[in-house]
Structure formats: structure tokens, C-alpha cells
């Protein structure tokens, strides 16, 4: 998405809302924790055959991450205190809302610095698509325009946001709800200052 936008043509829009309250938690691939999958592409793809996957993991103790060969990961801490990730032997602190990209095949362990945390994970199949996660700081009405030919998704963090799409559909999004937008633009109307994540997934080739 590009920002700001002064005007945009009105065209029909489709959208999908995935409610955090409806997400089902499942064990990590290595059994070390739980993750809630919000959306996969293509729709209904099994855990080992997706082109892309968006999920939120609860990290309650230090330990290893599952390996995903042939997958690129974007890890974004969305709740809790900073964590320390050791990736292929190199340790680095990861603060809140600082997207970090690394290979799913890497040897990764996570150390909690104080207490439990949550992280958004966006995974993409190498050679098929690539993801970019951006942090939006919003204080008042803001209009974003979609980049054609890619997935455009929005996820609010602390509080409720009203969203109107170019097709005239209006949705109220709560914390960790995911909106998949198809159309020209989305108008965001937060209740006070708000942080959101913009997830863009583009095909390769």
C-alpha cells in the first residue's frame, strides 16, 4: 500500500475479516508452543503446503523455534517485552514492533527477557512469494491505497479501528483481527492513537 492518497477511483471491492476470537490454537511443529493461524494462501492449504501463512504465536517460555525448510519468515513481536533471538548462532535483541526477516531453515531459539510475549509470523514459500510487514502509527483518519497484484492485509494492535473499503463495506476491527482487502483503497478511522501492521505479500515471477 502507498500513503497518503488524495483520491482514488471507485471500484468494487471484496474483503475478508478473520476474527482473533475465532482463531484456533494448535501446537507448534516441534511441540514447543502454540500458534493461532489467521489465514493461509491458497485458502485451506495444509500446514506444510502453503504459499503463505499468517499466524500469531504465544511465547510463554524460552526455547527453540520450529524449522520450515524452503520458507522465509517475518517475525514481529506484537505483545510483551523484548525477546532475544539466536539465529544460526548469532544473538540479537528484538523489541516490540520491529519486523525481522530470516530463513525458516535457520536454527532459531528464543529467550524471554522478562515474561510471556506474542509474535506475528508471516511465512512465505521461497520462489513463490515474498512478504513485507510495515508498522503504521495512526492518529486520526487515514486513507491507504492498495498495490495491485499483491495481497494487502491489515492487523490492528491495541484497540478498535473502523475500516471502510473502496467497495463501500465498513468493518470494525478489534485487536489482532485481520482484514484482507481487495480493491483500490481502505479508509482507517481509529479510536485514538493506534498502531497497525500492514502486511503485503507479492508473488515472485
Amino acid at each position: 500500500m502507498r500513503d497518503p492518497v488524495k483520491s482514488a477511483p471507485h471500484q468494487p471491492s471484496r474483503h475478508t475479516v478473520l476474527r482473533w476470537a475465532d482463531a484456533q490454537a494448535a501446537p507448534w511443529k516441534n511441540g514447543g508452543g502454540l500458534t493461532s493461524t489467521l489465514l493461509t494462501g491458497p485458502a485451506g492449504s495444509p500446514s506444510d503446503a502453503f504459499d503463505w501463512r499468517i499466524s500469531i504465536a504465544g511465547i510463554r517460555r524460552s526455547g527453540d523455534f520450529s524449522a520450515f525448510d524452503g520458507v522465509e519468515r517475518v517475525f514481529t513481536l506484537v505483545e510483551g517485552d523484548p525477546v532475544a533471538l539466536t539465529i544460526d548462532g548469532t544473538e540479537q535483541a528484538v523489541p516490540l514492533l520491529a519486523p525481522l526477516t530470516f530463513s525458516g531453515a535457520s536454527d532459531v531459539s528464543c529467550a524471554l527477557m522478562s515474561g510471556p510475549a506474542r509474535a506475528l509470523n508471516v511465512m512465505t514459500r521461497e520462489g513463490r512469494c515474498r512478504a513485507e510487514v510495515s508498522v503504521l502509527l495512526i492518529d486520526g483518519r487515514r486513507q491507504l491505497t492498495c498495490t495491485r497484484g499483491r495481497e494487502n492485509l491489515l492487523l490492528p494492535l491495541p484497540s478498535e479501528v473502523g475500516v471502510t473499503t473502496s467497495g463501500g463495506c465498513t468493518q470494525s476491527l478489534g485487536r489482532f483481527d485481520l482484514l484482507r482487502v481487495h480493491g483500490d483503497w481502505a479508509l482507517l478511522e481509529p479510536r485514538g492513537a493506534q498502531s497497525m501492521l500492514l502486511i503485503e505479500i507479492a508473488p515472485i515471477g
Side-chain angles (χ1 to χ4, degrees), residues 83-180:
V83 301
L85 291 188
T86 300
I87 303 174
D88 293 331
T90 301
E91 181 179 303
Q92 65 182 101
V94 181
L96 199 66
L97 301 183
L100 177 65
T101 301
F102 54 89
S103 171
S106 292
D107 182 13
V108 183
S109 63
C110 176
L112 297 174
M113 294 187 177
S114 60
R118 284 189 204 274
L120 174 80
N121 283 289
V122 181
M123 300 189 186
T124 51
R125 190 72 56 187
E126 293 176 352
R128 296 187 191 172
C129 50
R130 187 119 192 247
E132 181 178 348
V133 177
S134 304
V135 179
L136 307 179
L137 303 177
I138 306 169
D139 187 6
R141 175 182 284 198
R142 181 170 172 182
Q143 182 170 296
L144 301 172
T145 190
C146 296
T147 302
R148 292 183 179 272
R150 65 178 61 184
E151 297 284 350
N152 297 275
L153 306 108
L154 292 165
L155 185 133
L157 297 176
S159 60
E160 190 173 293
V161 175
V163 181
T164 301
T165 68
S166 58
C169 296
T170 299
Q171 291 287 333
S172 179
L173 302 179
R175 173 175 168 269
F176 297 160
D177 288 345
L178 182 69
L179 174 67
R180 183 184 191 182

Side-chain angles (χ1 to χ4, degrees), residues 29 33 52 55 66 84 111 114 142 145 180 190 194 196 204-205:
K29 186 179 173 182
W52 53 267
S55 61
S66 302
S114 60
R142 181 170 172 182
T145 190
R180 183 184 191 182
Q194 168 73 289
M196 298 186 72
I204 295 175

